[in-house]
Amino acid sequence: MRNKRVFSILLAGFLAVSMGNSVWASTEDEIAYAREQKQAAQSGLAQTEAAISSLESKKQELENYLAELNAQYEELNSSLAELEKEAAAKEEELARVKKELKKAKADAEEQYEAMKIRIVYMYEHGGSSMLESLLSSGSIAEFLNQAENVSQISQYDRDMLQKYEETSDRIKEQEQQIEEENEAIARLQSEKESKQQEVQALAANTSANISSYINQISATEEEASALMAQINSADSNIASLMEKAAAEAAAAEAAASAEESVSEESQTLPDYDPETDTMDSAGSSTGGEVIVEEDGSDLYGEDDGTYEEEDTGSTEDSSYTEESSSGSGSGTYLGNFRLTGYCNCAKCCGTAGNATASGAMPAAGHTVAMAGVPFGTQLSINGTIYTVEDLGTPYGHVDIYFDSHEEALSFGSQYADVYQVN
């Protein structure tokens, strides 16, 4: 009966360990998948941030260009205002010159009419007048004075005619010059107005492009926020899965310990033979014969693991002592495990500079990753004491932390005896 009970316990322990390992493997897969999702989101976030940076740079270039266009527009406005003032001044000057020319023409016409009257009178009465002047003159000097007066009048008329012609020519030149300047101002105004319209069109187009970039940046920032939310969700999921994995590892370890305990107990318990109603002590280390009493009872105690055996006519108590599994005084021997290296770079961990699953920052010569044991477990490997502070590898595979990716690659993959020292 006792064999059946032990067998049931062993079977239950085996099933518990098997189920624990299966669940542990499933959790590890979920952690790996969550890390892949996080890495994909981080990669997408990096690309999105690069796109935002590019859009911001282009937007800044357009804003600078728009500022230049606005400065040109203001300068054109100022130039047009000055041209309008010049045009108004020229118009006033042209009006004044035209007024002067009109007055000069009126004076010349009046002078010309008076001169025509004098000339006609002189031609009609010139001969008699000269004779009458000579006869009526008291002296030759008086006659000459009268003749001189006539000559001066004629000279005055000639001078006034020349002055009129000069004034007319000067006024006409001024009029022509002012008209040419007005035409030049009008052309410059037209050019500047055309340039102003061109600048306005460029400014409007640039403003539209800036608005487009702003919309693109806003949409990309929303995408980045969504990716960041995915990363945070992945971090939370990974942390939850790691806690679950740690709990499952502890449960698996407890189940394995229980199985080991049951296995050791089964080795110390003697087999029961129902036909002879005796206990076989084949499992004992001394190999002595079991003494059975006449009433069918044996000399074993009340399941205390002790029994009497006959040896050279005497009996003695033998107690079962659990066999130690420590090796070479280095702690509890766990086995010959596979060793690899990793670092805190993006290639090894998805992102650089992360803390370990236990929350501590990794340190070379100190931190290792392995599932199946609690955080803080100290392992002796090749004479160095390491502390389990991270996950990512199954039980039996120790991932040793290095400061650089090159050191981790150089370490490669190897095997060594591993001891638990705490």
Side-chain angles (χ1 to χ4, degrees):
M1 294 297 293
R2 190 174 296 178
N3 280 344
K4 292 181 179 180
R5 180 174 65 85
V6 171
F7 178 75
S8 299
I9 295 174
L10 287 174
L11 180 60
F14 176 75
L15 290 175
V17 172
S18 299
M19 291 176 65
N21 290 337
S22 176
V23 172
W24 171 253
S26 175
T27 305
E28 281 291 313
D29 292 340
E30 290 179 3
I31 292 175
Y33 179 68
R35 283 180 172 168
E36 289 177 1
Q37 286 185 321
K38 177 183 176 182
Q39 187 172 2
Q42 286 173 331
S43 176
L45 179 62
Q47 295 177 359
T48 304
E49 288 176 344
I52 291 175
S53 177
S54 176
L55 290 171
E56 288 283 1
S57 177
K58 292 179 180 178
K59 178 171 120 357
Q60 185 60 47
E61 291 177 1
L62 287 178
E63 287 176 346
N64 293 337
Y65 180 54
L66 180 61
E68 293 178 2
L69 290 175
N70 288 333
Q72 290 183 21
Y73 184 78
E74 292 298 328
E75 183 180 354
L76 288 170
N77 276 341
S78 178
S79 298
L80 284 172
E82 290 296 328
L83 287 174
E84 288 175 357
K85 291 180 181 179
E86 291 180 13
K90 289 298 178 182
E91 288 291 339
E92 291 179 359
E93 185 178 357
L94 182 60
R96 179 182 57 79
V97 169
K98 287 183 176 180
K99 186 175 179 180
E100 290 178 357
L101 180 60
K102 184 177 180 180
K103 183 177 180 300
K105 287 181 177 180
D107 292 343
E109 289 294 332
E110 184 179 353
Q111 180 184 354
Y112 182 68
E113 291 297 328
M115 185 179 64
K116 285 195 299 182
I117 292 172
R118 286 194 298 272
I119 292 173
V120 170
Y121 177 81
M122 289 175 64
Y123 274 105
E124 289 179 350
H125 306 284
S128 59
S129 297
M130 290 296 293
L131 180 60
E132 290 177 357
S133 297
L134 180 60
L135 293 176
S136 62
S137 297
S139 64
I140 190 66
E142 184 180 355
F143 171 76
L144 291 175
N145 286 334
Q146 291 179 357
E148 180 65 20
N149 288 336
V150 172
S151 175
Q152 287 180 356
I153 291 172
S154 299
Q155 183 63 40
Y156 171 77
D157 289 336
R158 284 193 297 270
D159 291 342
M160 292 300 295
L161 179 60
Q162 184 178 358
K163 184 178 179 181
Y164 160 74
E165 291 175 350
E166 291 175 354
T167 301
S168 297
D169 291 339
R170 177 177 58 80
I171 292 174
K172 286 180 179 179
E173 289 176 0
Q174 289 180 353
E175 184 180 20
Q176 182 178 0
Q177 181 181 357
I178 292 172
E179 288 178 351
E180 290 176 354
E181 290 176 354
N182 272 339
E183 290 176 358
I185 290 173
R187 285 196 302 272
L188 189 57
Q189 280 181 316
S190 177
E191 290 175 1
K192 288 189 178 293
E193 286 174 356
S194 175
K195 181 66 175 177
Q196 191 179 41
Q197 292 176 357
E198 180 182 351
V199 170
Q200 281 181 323
L202 288 173
N205 186 46
T206 304
S207 297
N209 289 336
I210 290 174
S211 298
S212 174
Y213 279 122
I214 290 174
N215 293 334
Q216 292 181 50
I217 290 171
S218 177
T220 310
E221 286 177 345
E222 290 179 0
E223 182 179 352
S225 297
L227 290 171
M228 183 59 71
Q230 290 182 19
I231 292 172
N232 293 334
S233 176
D235 283 334
S236 177
N237 190 25
I238 289 171
S240 176
L241 288 171
M242 283 183 173
E243 291 179 0
K244 179 182 177 183
E248 291 171 354
E253 184 180 7
S257 178
E259 180 187 5
E260 182 179 356
S261 230
V262 171
S263 176
E264 290 174 353
E265 181 182 356
S266 68
Q267 291 177 4
T268 63
L269 294 176
D271 294 333
Y272 173 74
D273 188 350
E275 295 181 357
T276 61
D277 194 24
T278 61
M279 294 292 180
D280 182 10
S281 60
S284 66
S285 59
T286 60
E289 182 180 357
V290 178
I291 300 175
V292 181
E293 298 294 340
E294 292 180 357
D295 59 1
S297 64
D298 55 30
L299 297 182
Y300 291 91
E302 291 287 333
D303 292 332
D304 59 355
T306 63
Y307 60 91
E308 291 184 8
E309 62 182 8
E310 184 178 5
D311 187 8
T312 63
S314 64
T315 62
E316 62 181 5
D317 292 336
S318 174
S319 300
Y320 171 75
T321 304
E322 181 180 1
E323 182 179 358
S324 174
S325 61
S326 62
S328 305
S330 300
T332 303
Y333 179 68
L334 301 182
N336 189 261
F337 289 174
R338 181 189 176 198
L339 308 179
T340 56
Y342 79 106
C343 71
N344 207 358
C345 71
K347 292 181 180 179
C348 292
C349 302
T351 56
N354 292 330
T356 62
S358 65
M361 293 304 296
H366 172 77
T367 301
V368 295
M370 186 181 74
V373 296
F375 291 137
T377 300
Q378 292 185 330
L379 304 179
S380 175
I381 304 173
N382 294 329
T384 302
I385 304 299
Y386 297 93
T387 301
V388 178
E389 295 180 335
D390 209 350
L391 296 174
T393 57
Y395 183 84
H397 179 181
V398 182
D399 213 5
I400 301 176
Y401 177 80
F402 289 90
D403 283 331
S404 67
H405 196 70
E406 291 74 14
E407 290 177 299
L409 288 177
S410 177
F411 183 78
S413 177
Q414 48 188 278
Y415 288 83
D417 291 333
V418 178
Y419 299 85
Q420 180 176 338
V421 299
N422 63 342

